Amino acid sequence: MSILVTGGAGYIGSHTCVELLNAGYEVIVVDNLSNSKKEAINRVEKITDRSIKFYEMDILDQKALDLIFKANDIDAVIHFAGLKAVGESVEKPLLYYRNNITGTLSLLEAMSHSNCKNIVFSSSATVYGMNNISPLTEDLPLSTTNPYGTTKMYIEHMIRDTYHSDNNWSATLLRYFNPIGAHESGTIGEDPKGIPNNLMPFITQVAVGKRDKLSVFGNDYETHDGTGVRDYIHVVDLAKGHLKALEYTLNNKGVEAINLGTGTGYSVLDMVHTFHHTTKQPISYEITARRPGDIATCFADTSKAKQLLNWETELTLEDMCRDSWRWQSRNPEGY
Ligand code: NAD
Ligand code: UD1
């Protein structure tokens, strides 16, 4: 069975390609390498001893997508390709709307032309906005606080409307919580450009000596130690969740939004302390002001994923810290 993976050279995409190849799927990747390197694909091939058909291409180029669907017998698409930096999306909203929304439109049209109507889409817990109380269930009202989040919410609507117009479509909208960690080989991982926005890559860059200290954004939240609480999930567990979602999508028509998280929240200071005791790397930090737009607590209700996908996370916070550190320490400059 052949799966088209858009954005397959990226952080979550590359880990998902490993799981797909190990499970025996044929993998075709389309990526414009705007936030990744071809080396990630080479390393996935090395880990799995399998090959990937790679197209360096923009999903906005619908004619090229049509040709890919013509040249390959594609059974389903896993759609990761998109821009994901919240701050940048506030500065350049049109770039985000064009890349993420028009890119997905182009993909859905190409899928429609070729009669491939099975899609797993990378959504985000960001669609729950600021007002819902954790644990977050999939039926809560959606809202967003930045253009990045809005693109995810609109794409969910676009996919639902597509199904309503043609019930032959089958789509799973995966709402990820906070993916961290890396493949246990230490050869693929998250490779952010510039100063990391997210917590774990910042911690590992402090540990490796690239940054002086972590700024902890606020210690006056209503949480057990005052710092923000999130649902961190190992990227390999997340990748395995995609395989379960793919099977579900191939076997059921309709559209389902499903959370992928562990269901447990950890604070920023829990992360700093667990990283230290797991890797023996102390992390210097200072408490600074809250980051605008942040919420106190965000974690998943995971019952729908258990029920529909028969999927649960297996890896611990210690595994996440150890594997993030193995990747960073062996690849201090990324790929
Ligand atoms: P990433 O940036 O590492 O991967 C995205 C990939 O898509 C990159 O390789 C990039 O080059 C490619 N891409 C972007 N625009 C493209 C285009 N127009 N045409 C072709 N390729 C394009 O990001 P990631 O962390 O692996 O995230 C994957 C998906 O999951 C994204 O859609 C992201 O919004 C979503 N998501 C990520 C997180 C997270 O914390 N990492 C959380 C929730 C949702
Ligand atoms: C961020 C995005 C969100 C996205 C999610 C997963 C923002 C505002 N939100 O959320 O849209 O879905 O990533 O990719 O960027 N922290 C620090 N110091 C740092 C970095 C983070 O204290 O240098 C804290 C944050 O305040 C938060 C926690 O660490 O409490 C996690 O932050 P982060 O990794 O950025 O994830 P989210 O805030 O969940």
Side-chain angles (χ1 to χ4, degrees), residues 86 124 126 178 197-199 214-217 228 230 232 268 291 294:
V86 172
S124 166
T126 194
N178 292 59
N197 298 307
N198 297 114
L199 180 63
L214 171 73
S215 297
V216 174
F217 298 146
R230 296 290 183 275
Y232 297 94
V268 178
R291 180 171 65 181
D294 272 357

Side-chain angles (χ1 to χ4, degrees), residues 202-218:
F202 207 104
I203 288 179
T204 59
Q205 291 199 5
V206 171
V208 85
K210 285 179 87 173
R211 315 262 159 220
D212 281 350
K213 59 184 162 194
L214 171 73
S215 297
V216 174
F217 298 146

Side-chain angles (χ1 to χ4, degrees), residues 245-311:
L246 177 64
E247 283 166 28
Y248 183 84
T249 307
L250 289 166
N251 291 314
N252 297 275
K253 301 283 177 215
V255 183
E256 292 289 351
I258 302 180
N259 290 337
L260 293 186
T262 65
T264 305
Y266 290 100
S267 73
V268 178
L269 292 181
D270 290 337
M271 299 301 287
V272 167
H273 299 320
T274 307
F275 188 87
H276 182 186
H277 89 68
T278 309
T279 66
K280 310 296 172 224
Q281 303 297 316
I283 301 298
S284 306
Y285 68 87
E286 63 176 347
I287 307 293
T288 62
R290 290 181 178 195
R291 180 171 65 181
D294 272 357
I295 52 175
T297 301
C298 173
F299 61 92
D301 182 304
T302 59
S303 41
K304 191 170 177 186
K306 262 180 230 166
Q307 199 193 333
L308 291 191
L309 305 183
N310 189 25
W311 170 89

